[in-house]
Amino acid sequence: GQNIDQPTEMTATEGAIVQINCTYQTSGFNGLFWYQQHAGEAPTFLSYNVLDGLEEKGRFSSFLSRSKGYSYLLLKELQMKDSASYLCAVRESGGATNKLIFGTGTLLAVQP
Amino acid sequence: EAQVTQNPRYLITVTGKKLTVTCSQNMNHEYMSWYRQDPGLGLRQIYYSMNVEVTDKGDVPEGYKVSRKEKRNFPLILESPSPNQTSLYFCASSLWAGNTGELFFGEGSRLTVL
């Protein structure tokens, strides 16, 4: 079956570092995505991992371990505007379907 | 500006009254998809289209129809809406094959069926 797990909520302090974990069990794997979604808005793309290891993009980094079915999103130097929901999504197979299976999201609250 | 545009953004309707949510993208993307987002359930795919005249069911297609007569447009049709279709709907598009397949989302359409 398909299962993507991530914590429901997290709280962190402005300027700190936070790590949001995601574990997945899917029938196939062809990439893992992280999206950011502010309340009432559309999800926006943050990162993509298809091979094991760390991908860094500014204050955001994402890590993937395919053997463990595990990924994390690391946010550094947190800002108030980082308060949002973070969605982990897995693409099960290649080809044209480009179907993403989404987790339910982690709501991050950044406090002063 | 590259974007996915949905209309209407907000709609309140009554059970059984047919409605269409339009979706248009200006990025020449082959792939388009509709998702619904409900609390505690995340984003679930309703239908997708790999190109003009090619559509297929996602995970929750019941009660919905789609069409893809032009590359840029992918309307979602609710022939006879019911209260369980009250949700936040997102249209998304992407290039297919050969890149990350990053999905670009529209701003969402919040539908309430009374």
Side-chain angles (χ1 to χ4, degrees):
Chain A
Q2 308 162 341
N3 195 41
I4 298 178
D5 286 318
Q6 44 182 137
T8 305
E9 295 181 352
M10 298 183 71
T11 302
T13 303
E14 192 175 15
I17 299 173
V18 70
Q19 177 174 312
I20 303 174
N21 295 324
C22 171
T23 58
Y24 64 89
Q25 291 176 310
T26 56
S27 55
F29 180 84
N30 192 36
L32 186 142
F33 296 78
W34 285 95
Y35 282 82
Q36 180 190 59
Q37 185 178 24
H38 285 99
E41 297 183 8
T44 55
F45 171 78
L46 286 179
S47 69
Y48 170 73
N49 296 70
V50 68
L51 300 176
D52 291 351
L54 189 68
E55 294 283 341
E56 297 185 81
K57 191 188 291 186
R59 295 189 299 114
F60 292 62
S61 303
S62 57
F63 172 83
L64 174 67
S65 169
R66 288 171 296 171
S67 63
K68 295 181 179 177
Y70 168 70
S71 172
Y72 68 72
L73 179 70
L74 194 70
L75 292 75
K76 304 175 187 175
E77 302 170 12
L78 280 172
Q79 302 175 9
M80 298 299 291
K81 68 178 182 180
D82 296 330
S83 294
S85 186
Y86 291 85
L87 313 179
C88 173
V90 171
R91 182 165 58 201
E92 285 194 307
S93 62
T97 63
N98 201 24
K99 177 180 178 180
L100 298 189
I101 308 297
F102 282 86
T104 54
T106 298
L107 184 61
L108 174 66
V110 180
Q111 299 178 337
Chain B
E1 180 187 355
Q3 59 185 4
V4 180
T5 304
Q6 297 178 223
N7 279 297
R9 295 286 315 281
Y10 301 91
L11 180 63
I12 300 175
T13 190
V14 296
T15 298
K17 186 175 181 181
K18 180 180 178 180
L19 68 93
T20 298
V21 186
T22 63
C23 174
S24 180
Q25 50 92 7
N26 62 2
M27 295 170 278
N28 202 34
H29 285 168
E30 295 88 0
Y31 180 89
M32 297 186 74
S33 180
W34 276 101
Y35 284 84
R36 61 178 288 173
Q37 187 173 38
D38 302 288
L41 296 177
L43 284 159
R44 294 179 293 166
Q45 189 181 56
I46 303 170
Y47 267 93
Y48 66 92
S49 169
M50 295 182 287
N51 215 323
V52 176
E53 301 293 1
V54 182
T55 64
D56 208 346
K57 297 177 180 178
D59 294 319
V60 287
E62 295 78 20
Y64 305 95
K65 288 173 58 177
V66 293
S67 68
R68 188 91 181 273
K69 294 184 169 57
E70 305 164 287
K71 196 172 187 178
R72 64 184 293 125
N73 296 324
F74 190 45
L76 179 70
I77 303 155
L78 287 73
E79 292 272 4
S80 183
S82 61
N84 65 11
Q85 292 179 297
T86 293
S87 187
L88 178 59
Y89 292 88
F90 287 102
C91 179
S93 72
S94 73
L95 293 168
W96 81 283
N99 76 333
T100 65
E102 168 195 350
L103 281 175
F104 293 83
F105 284 87
E107 294 185 326
S109 296
R110 186 168 293 280
L111 172 65
T112 301
V113 183
L114 301 175

